[in-house]
């Protein structure tokens, strides 16, 4: 078989491989647990997945794309800002290349998401696509004409570490929220899953805390007033935060992924609020949930093999 694209999504709990042809059809897929806190074991797990795919397809990989929970930086491509901390400072691409004897490209997992959705997903045929991850963290990435945009600091799209836009007349949270990045009140601290749970407690400190964002959404559909207030505040914060992205980038499409992208009514609720915050009050950016769901990251990793 010719023109097969190999991709791996290296997650905190699972490592997944996929093999696509040039038309996006899946020829092989496999998921295994990610070894905890062991960089050598992670390398061996990824090498074993490539070997399994090669054996199943009776072909040799010509390139491997990897989506990682961090960003390769500097001439050695050492990872920074990785949630899987054993990866920090490691030259993942170089080490895999030595192990597999094929070219390896490593990108941030949000970059892989947006590349997937801009190639054959919810942002296909759009000129400017901004990808948003709403989950354990809040990430983002940008693709223009189907190509990833990476600046000199390799942080293009990291809107989650801008300050949350505040507004007068309403207390967003009774206490500042420290972020792991060292700043306080980052967008991520309010819009990630843990952030929504904190907002639920903020709007009514007398209720029992809920530590699962999907349970808050379920409670809101059952007319729980605290859950409804928390979700309304979440939609307000999300729309205000995205308005700053639209004012700077003006994307054709914003694609949502991550666990919180499955909140019922997300696109409708945010779209209804955005025009109040976007400059000029006239908002034509399309909002969509990732067409490939939780497979977007690994599919984007595979498409790295087609990048110029």
């Amino acid at each position: 078989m010719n023109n097969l694209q190999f991709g791996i999504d290296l997650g905190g709990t699972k490592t997944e491989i996929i093999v696509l042809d040039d038309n996006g059809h899946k020829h092989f897929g496999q998921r295994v647990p990610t070894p905890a806190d062991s960089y050598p074991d992670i390398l061996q797990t990824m090498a074993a997945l490539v070997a399994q795919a090669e054996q199943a397809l009776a072909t040799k990989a010509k390139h491997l794309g990897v989506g990682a929970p961090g960003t390769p930086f500097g001439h050695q491509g050492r990872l920074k800002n990785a949630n899987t901390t054993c990866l920090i400072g490691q030259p993942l691409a170089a080490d895999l290349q030595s192990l597999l004897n094929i070219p390896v490209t490593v990108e941030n997992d949000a970059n892989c998401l947006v590349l997937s959705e801009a190639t054959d997903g919810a942002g296909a045929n759009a000129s400017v696509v901004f990808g948003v991850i709403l989950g354990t963290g809040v990430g983002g990435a940008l693709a223009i004409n189907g190509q990833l945009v990476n600046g000199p600091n390799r942080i293009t799209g990291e809107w989650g570490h801008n300050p949350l836009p505040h507004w007068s007349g309403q207390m967003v949270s009774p206490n500042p929220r420290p972020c792991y990045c060292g700043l306080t009140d980052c967008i991520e601290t309010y819009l990630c899953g843990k952030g929504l749970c904190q907002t639920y407690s903020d709007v009514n400190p007398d209720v029992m805390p809920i530590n699962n964002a999907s349970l808050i959404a379920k409670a809101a559909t059952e007319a729980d007033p605290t859950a409804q207030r928390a979700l309304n505040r979440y939609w307000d914060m999300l729309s205000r935060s995205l308005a700053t992205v639209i004012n700077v980038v003006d994307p054709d499409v914003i694609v949502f992924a991550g666990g919180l992208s499955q909140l019922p009514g997300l696109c409708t609720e945010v779209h209804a609020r955005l025009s109040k915050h976007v400059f000029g009050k006239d908002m034509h950016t399309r909002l969509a949930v990732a067409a490939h769901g939780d497979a977007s990251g690994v599919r984007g990793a595979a498409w790295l093999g087609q990048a110029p």
Side-chain angles (χ1 to χ4, degrees):
M1 277 182 249
N2 296 319
N3 298 320
L4 292 179
Q5 313 295 333
F6 284 62
I8 286 181
D9 180 28
L10 175 58
T13 58
K14 57 89 178 170
T15 301
E16 179 177 7
I17 190 170
I18 199 170
V19 182
L20 304 176
D21 62 27
D22 287 340
N23 295 316
H25 298 135
K26 178 179 173 181
H27 290 258
F28 182 85
Q30 178 71 20
R31 288 185 179 186
V32 297
T34 299
D37 302 323
S38 173
Y39 180 63
D41 288 348
I42 286 174
L43 291 176
Q44 291 300 324
T45 296
M46 297 170 78
L49 285 173
V50 172
Q52 288 178 37
E54 290 177 331
Q55 182 176 8
L57 299 173
T59 190
K60 173 71 175 173
K62 297 177 181 178
H63 175 273
L64 177 66
V66 177
T71 300
F73 190 74
H75 71 280
Q76 292 182 318
R78 294 183 181 273
L79 290 181
K80 66 176 183 177
N81 302 339
N83 292 332
T84 303
T85 55
C86 69
L87 296 173
I88 294 175
Q90 301 291 356
L92 181 60
D95 287 344
L96 277 174
Q97 197 159 297
S98 296
L99 198 58
L100 300 172
N101 198 30
I102 57 173
V104 175
T105 303
V106 175
E107 279 287 357
N108 177 265
D109 49 8
N111 280 1
C112 291
L113 155 73
V114 77
L115 181 60
S116 170
E117 293 297 320
T119 299
D120 64 351
N125 303 315
S127 296
V128 181
V129 181
F130 190 78
V132 168
I133 294 178
L134 299 172
T136 304
V138 172
L142 179 66
I144 297 179
N145 296 325
Q147 302 298 321
L148 292 175
V149 177
N150 274 317
N153 302 303
R154 302 281 296 185
I155 55 172
T156 301
E158 289 289 2
W159 70 301
H161 294 282
N162 288 332
L164 179 77
H166 291 267
W167 56 98
S168 61
Q170 181 174 349
M171 182 173 62
V172 179
S173 183
N175 299 300
R177 298 189 185 183
C179 183
Y180 79 89
C181 75
L183 301 176
T184 300
D185 284 341
C186 287
I187 287 169
E188 176 166 307
T189 66
Y190 289 86
L191 298 185
C192 68
K194 184 179 178 181
L196 175 56
C197 294
Q198 181 60 54
T199 298
Y200 177 86
S201 295
D202 285 349
V203 299
N204 189 350
D206 296 327
V207 299
M208 183 73 69
I210 295 180
N211 296 317
N212 185 303
S214 63
L215 293 180
I216 294 174
K218 182 175 184 294
T221 64
E222 297 169 351
D224 178 288
T226 301
Q228 290 177 334
R229 288 176 60 198
L231 266 184
N232 280 328
R233 187 169 294 186
Y234 185 87
W235 302 137
D236 286 340
M237 292 187 291
L238 179 54
S239 61
R240 288 173 183 272
S241 300
L242 283 177
T244 65
V245 173
I246 295 173
N247 286 347
V248 174
V249 179
D250 202 11
D252 297 287
V253 185
I254 294 176
V255 180
F256 296 102
L260 274 73
S261 71
Q262 301 304 309
L263 289 174
L266 182 147
C267 291
T268 300
E269 296 287 351
V270 174
H271 196 282
R273 291 165 169 79
L274 268 171
S275 61
K276 296 187 294 185
H277 308 300
V278 170
F279 179 65
K281 311 299 182 186
D282 196 15
M283 210 290 293
H284 299 285
T285 299
R286 180 165 60 88
L287 308 182
V289 175
H292 296 296
D294 67 356
S296 280
V298 71
R299 290 178 67 89
W303 291 132
L304 290 172
Q306 292 189 330

